[in-house]
C-alpha cells in the first residue's frame, strides 16, 4: 500500500442521485479505517476552485446513508473548464494537503477529472452517480435502482386513475440518451408500449399498437417514454398526434421530472455505494489513478476513465423482446 497518500478529497458533481451520500460516507469511513485524512469538497469543482473544504471524520457522516441528494452539494462549474480555474483548484488542493481525489458523478464529471489528471498528474478515481445508468463499465450507477423503484411506484398510482377513467397516459421519464429507466420501469409497471432513444418505434407502429390494445378489450393504456425518444418533438405533440388519429382515446400526459432524482436510496444503492467507496479509496492507496469503480456480474472492478467516458452502454435486447411479449 502506497505511503504517499495521506489525505483524500471527495466531491459530488453534476446531477444529484440517491446513493451519493452513502458513497460519501463510505469514502470517509474507509479513509478513517486506513488512518488517512478525508476532506469534503463542497459544490463540486466550483468548490474546489473556491477552496470550500471541510475535514470529515467517521462521525461527520452519521445518519446520511439513508438520505437522498448530497450533503456536499453539487454545482456546474464553467470556471473549471478554463485553464485558470483548474490551476486555482490545484493550488487549493496542495494548500489543503490533499493528495488524491474521489469524484462522484457522471461522464461530464469524469471528463473534468481526466483533464485535471492530465494537466497536473493528480490521482483521481471516479464513482458513477447518475440515475440514467448510461456510463460504460458498470451494470448499475448509483441512483438508478432507486429511480426505477420511484418510477414504478408512480406509474402504479397513475394506472389507478387510467383504469378509473378509461384513459391513455403518456408518461415521460428521464433518459436523454439512454432508455434504461423507461425500458425496465415500463416492464415492471406493465406498460403497453415503451419508447426509448435506442429504438425508433415509429408513429405508425405506435398507433397500430394502441388500436390493437383497444380491440383486445383494454380499457386503459400506459405508454412510457424516455425523454430522449425521437418519435415526436415532445410528449405533448405526441399526445396531440395520437388524439387526432385515435379520437376514441382520452389522452393525458405526466412528466415525472425531478421527482425521479429524489428520495431515500434503495437498499441496493446503499450497498453498492458502500462497496464502490471502499474500492475507490483502496485503489488510490494502491497507487491506481484515472479509473472508475463499477459493478459487473456483482463484482466490483475498475474501468479506465477514458473508456467510461467514451464507451456506450447497450440496451438489453432480451428485455425489448420481453416487453413486446408482455404488451400482447
Amino acid at each position: 500500500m502506497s505511503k504517499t497518500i495521506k489525505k483524500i478529497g471527495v466531491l459530488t458533481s453534476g446531477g444529484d442521485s440517491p446513493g451519493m451520500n452513502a458513497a460519501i460516507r463510505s469514502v470517509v469511513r474507509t479513509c478513517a479505517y486506513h488512518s488517512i485524512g478525508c476532506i469534503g469538497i463542497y459544490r463540486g469543482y466550483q468548490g474546489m476552485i473556491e477552496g470550500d473544504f471541510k475535514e470529515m471524520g467517521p462521525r461527520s457522516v452519521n445518519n446520511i446513508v439513508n438520505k437522498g441528494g448530497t450533503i456536499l452539494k453539487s454545482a456546474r462549474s464553467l470556471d473549471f473548464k478554463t485553464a485558470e480555474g483548474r490551476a486555482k483548484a490545484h493550488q487549493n488542493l496542495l494548500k489543503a494537503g490533499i493528495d488524491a481525489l474521489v469524484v462522484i458523478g457522471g461522464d461530464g464529471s469524469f471528463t473534468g477529472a481526466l483533464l485535471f489528471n492530465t494537466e497536473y498528474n493528480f490521482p483521481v478515481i471516479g464513482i458513477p452517480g447518475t440515475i440514467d445508468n448510461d456510463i460504460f463499465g458498470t451494470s448499475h450507477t448509483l441512483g438508478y435502482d432507486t429511480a426505477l423503484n420511484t418510477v414504478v411506484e408512480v406509474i402504479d398510482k397513475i394506472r389507478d386513475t387510467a383504469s378509473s377513467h378509461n384513459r391513455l397516459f403518456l408518461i415521460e421519464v428521464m433518459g436523454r440518451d439512454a432508455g434504461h429507466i423507461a425500458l425496465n420501469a415500463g416492464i415492471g409497471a406493465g406498460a403497453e408500449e415503451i419508447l426509448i432513444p435506442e429504438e425508433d418505434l415509429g408513429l405508425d407502429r405506435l398507433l397500430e399498437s394502441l388500436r390493437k390494445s383497444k380491440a383486445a378489450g383494454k380499457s386503459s393504456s400506459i405508454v412510457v417514454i424516455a425523454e430522449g425518444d425521437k418519435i415526436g418533438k415532445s410528449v405533448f405533440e405526441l399526445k396531440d398526434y395520437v388524439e387526432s388519429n385515435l379520437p376514441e382515446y382520452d389522452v393525458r400526459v405526466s412528466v415525472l421530472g425531478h421527482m425521479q432524482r429524489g428520495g431515500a436510496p434503495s437498499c441496493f444503492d446503499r450497498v453498492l455505494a458502500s462497496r464502490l467507496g471502499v474500492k475507490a479509496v483502496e485503489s488510490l492507496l494502491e497507487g491506481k489513478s484515472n479509473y472508475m469503480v463499477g459493478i459487473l456480474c456483482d463484482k466490483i472492478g475498475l474501468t479506465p476513465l477514458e473508456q467510461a467516458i467514451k464507451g456506450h452502454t447497450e440496451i438489453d435486447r432480451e428485455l425489448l423482446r420481453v416487453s413486446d411479449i408482455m404488451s400482447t
Side-chain angles (χ1 to χ4, degrees):
M1 187 173 292
S2 173
K3 299 296 184 181
T4 59
I5 292 179
K6 302 295 185 184
K7 191 177 291 185
I8 290 176
V10 58
L11 62 87
T12 52
S13 176
D16 64 290
S17 63
M20 280 186 164
N21 280 329
I24 294 167
R25 173 180 179 266
S26 179
V27 169
V28 171
R29 292 194 170 176
T30 305
C31 285
Y33 178 84
H34 289 289
S35 301
I36 62 173
C38 188
I39 300 289
I41 300 171
Y42 284 82
R43 295 176 296 113
Y45 291 123
Q46 191 61 34
M48 203 156 78
I49 291 171
E50 297 174 9
D52 194 359
F53 303 160
K54 182 180 179 180
E55 292 269 0
M56 301 187 78
R59 303 289 74 79
S60 65
V61 290
N62 281 351
N63 303 320
I64 68 168
V65 69
N66 60 322
K67 298 185 184 302
T70 163
I71 63 167
L72 292 178
K73 311 298 183 183
S74 185
R76 310 289 180 182
S77 178
L78 295 177
D79 293 336
F80 196 75
K81 295 182 178 181
T82 68
E84 295 79 9
R86 293 190 296 274
K88 188 173 182 180
H90 183 244
Q91 287 299 315
N92 285 334
L93 292 179
L94 295 181
K95 184 179 179 181
I98 297 172
D99 305 305
L101 285 175
V102 173
V103 176
I104 307 169
D107 55 3
S109 305
F110 294 166
T111 299
L114 188 60
L115 177 59
F116 191 70
N117 172 269
T118 300
E119 290 180 337
Y120 295 103
N121 194 30
F122 202 89
V124 294
I125 292 286
I127 294 178
T130 170
I131 68 167
D132 288 344
N133 204 44
D134 58 352
I135 296 180
F136 180 81
T138 184
S139 62
H140 289 73
T141 56
L142 292 183
Y144 172 58
D145 184 71
T146 304
L148 282 182
N149 291 329
T150 298
V151 171
V152 168
E153 181 179 356
V154 172
I155 295 176
D156 286 348
K157 296 178 187 300
I158 290 173
R159 186 176 286 282
D160 291 343
T161 293
S163 299
S164 297
H165 296 275
N166 296 336
R167 286 174 176 161
L168 163 63
F169 269 85
L170 305 180
I171 303 174
E172 184 184 274
V173 302
M174 285 185 170
R176 185 179 63 245
D177 302 310
H180 299 291
I181 291 177
L183 180 57
N184 284 270
I187 293 174
E192 278 64 41
E193 281 294 346
I194 301 167
L195 309 182
I196 58 176
E198 295 88 345
E199 292 286 305
D200 185 8
L201 179 65
L203 289 169
D204 291 339
R205 184 183 155 188
L206 174 62
L207 294 180
E208 182 60 24
S209 174
L210 292 174
R211 288 192 185 99
K212 287 182 178 178
S213 292
K214 182 69 74 172
K218 292 185 179 181
S219 60
S220 64
S221 292
I222 299 289
V223 177
V224 177
I225 307 168
E227 61 182 323
D229 181 71
K230 306 301 189 295
I231 197 170
K233 291 183 179 179
S234 75
V235 68
F236 295 100
E237 287 192 11
L238 181 59
K239 169 185 179 294
D240 294 339
Y241 182 84
V242 171
E243 285 183 326
S244 64
N245 286 273
L246 299 174
E248 64 269 29
Y249 272 108
D250 182 12
V251 188
R252 294 290 188 272
V253 171
S254 287
V255 178
L256 302 192
H258 284 82
M259 73 170 66
Q260 297 161 87
R261 289 194 184 279
S266 65
C267 179
F268 180 90
D269 275 328
R270 299 181 199 192
V271 174
L272 178 61
S274 300
R275 296 175 71 186
L276 295 180
V278 170
K279 183 67 172 179
V281 171
E282 294 187 342
S283 294
L284 286 170
L285 295 179
E286 290 165 1
K288 296 182 174 66
S289 179
N290 277 2
Y291 286 99
M292 179 197 77
V293 293
I295 183 169
L296 290 170
C297 300
D298 201 36
K299 300 293 184 183
I300 303 298
L302 300 174
T303 298
L305 275 181
E306 188 171 11
Q307 288 185 23
I309 295 165
K310 294 182 178 179
H312 295 285
T313 58
E314 298 290 335
I315 205 72
D316 190 330
R317 311 303 302 185
E318 177 62 17
L319 279 183
L320 289 173
R321 196 173 79 87
V322 169
S323 172
D324 286 340
I325 294 172
M326 290 301 103
S327 64
T328 301

